[in-house]
């Protein structure tokens, strides 16, 4: 019959309209920005750098290996490694910038990082009237504690921490096995 679909649609709309007066769970509109919806754990936006401990820059997990920079499809990651007094690269970035005006949130940088140093953030309110400098995030702006990572992605953060702890334990056992053993005490002579 002609118009049956229209009548079904209006019935669903009428049920939700009347039901929303009795059940707040039926509200389909959120009064943003006064009200915020809880984001699902799988929601992602732009990357951030994870650091351990209280020192944001010194505690960065990033070792400036530049794998993420090389794999980034839009080439929006810029890394310059720190140098020691002899000019050799140190295992931390002196410059780590992400141009979020170019980033397409593909998460490839996260997937290729062997140190679990870069993760996807859920912060989406970064709009600015300035196009260039405000959207180029520096190392200090990108560094966020591991506790923040646990807050926004608790399941993944627990897995990463367990994996890093197992790797650290295996490295310590390997180092202890490779260390020279002290000579056995000689038997006393009679």
């Amino acid at each position: 019959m002609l118009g049956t679909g229209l009548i079904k649609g209006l019935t669903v709309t009428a049920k939700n309209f009347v039901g929303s007066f009795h059940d707040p769970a039926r509200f389909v509109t959120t009064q943003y920005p006064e009200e915020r919806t809880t984001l699902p754990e799988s929601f992602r936006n732009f990357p951030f750098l994870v650091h351990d401990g209280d020192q944001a820059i010194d505690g960065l997990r990033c070792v400036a290996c530049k794998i993420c920079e090389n794999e980034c499809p839009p080439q929006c990651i810029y890394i310059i490694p720190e140098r020691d007094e002899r000019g050799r690269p140190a295992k931390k970035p002196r410059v780590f910038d992400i141009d979020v005006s170019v980033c397409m949130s593909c998460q490839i940088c996260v997937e290729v990082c062997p140190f679990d140093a870069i993760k996807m953030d859920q912060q989406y309110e970064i709009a600015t009237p300035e196009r260039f400098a405000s959207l180029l995030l520096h190392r200090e702006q990108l560094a966020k504690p591991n506790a923040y990572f646990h807050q926004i992605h608790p399941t993944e953060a627990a897995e990463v921490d367990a994996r890093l702890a197992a790797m650290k334990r295996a490295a310590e056992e390997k180092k202890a096995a490779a260390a020279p053993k002290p000579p056995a005490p000689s038997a006393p002579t009679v």
Side-chain angles (χ1 to χ4, degrees):
M1 182 174 129
L2 186 63
T4 305
L6 179 65
I7 293 172
K8 284 182 181 177
L10 289 173
T11 304
V12 170
T13 302
K15 280 183 182 178
N16 283 324
F17 178 72
V18 174
S20 66
F21 285 103
H22 305 288
D23 184 11
R26 297 182 81 146
F27 289 145
V28 294
T29 304
T30 302
Q31 300 298 320
Y32 179 83
E34 290 81 15
E35 295 178 17
R36 306 292 171 106
T37 56
T38 303
L39 297 173
E41 187 175 342
S42 59
F43 178 83
R44 69 177 194 230
N45 199 5
F46 296 117
F48 71 98
L49 295 173
V50 180
H51 72 82
D52 296 315
D54 296 332
Q55 301 295 322
I57 302 305
D58 293 335
L60 284 177
R61 292 179 183 172
C62 179
V63 297
C65 66
K66 300 179 89 167
I67 294 175
C68 57
E69 182 184 48
N70 294 331
E71 295 294 327
C72 179
Q75 299 292 303
C76 67
I77 300 176
Y78 312 102
I79 300 173
I80 299 175
E82 187 76 54
R83 300 269 177 190
D84 64 6
E85 61 277 353
R86 298 171 80 183
R88 294 180 300 193
K91 289 187 174 181
K92 64 183 203 178
R94 181 169 55 87
V95 173
F96 193 112
D97 294 342
I98 296 178
D99 188 350
V100 294
S101 67
V102 178
C103 179
M104 57 186 199
S105 303
C106 64
Q107 197 175 341
I108 290 178
C109 55
V110 174
E111 294 172 6
V112 299
C113 181
F115 304 100
D116 291 307
I118 187 167
K119 297 295 175 188
M120 298 305 283
D121 204 349
Q122 291 187 339
Q123 184 179 6
Y124 55 87
E125 295 170 317
I126 60 170
T128 176
E130 208 281 316
R131 182 177 175 191
F132 297 106
S134 298
L135 294 175
L136 183 65
L137 302 181
H138 303 289
R139 176 183 66 170
E140 292 76 12
Q141 297 165 295
L142 293 168
K144 296 185 179 177
N146 192 26
Y148 176 76
F149 181 40
H150 276 270
Q151 181 183 349
I152 61 173
H153 299 291
T155 307
E156 181 186 358
E159 292 172 5
V160 168
D161 282 356
R163 186 173 56 245
L164 291 177
M167 290 172 58
K168 184 177 180 180
R169 194 170 39 252
E172 289 174 354
E173 290 173 2
K174 185 177 179 182
K175 185 177 179 180
K181 296 180 180 176
S186 60
T189 57
V190 182

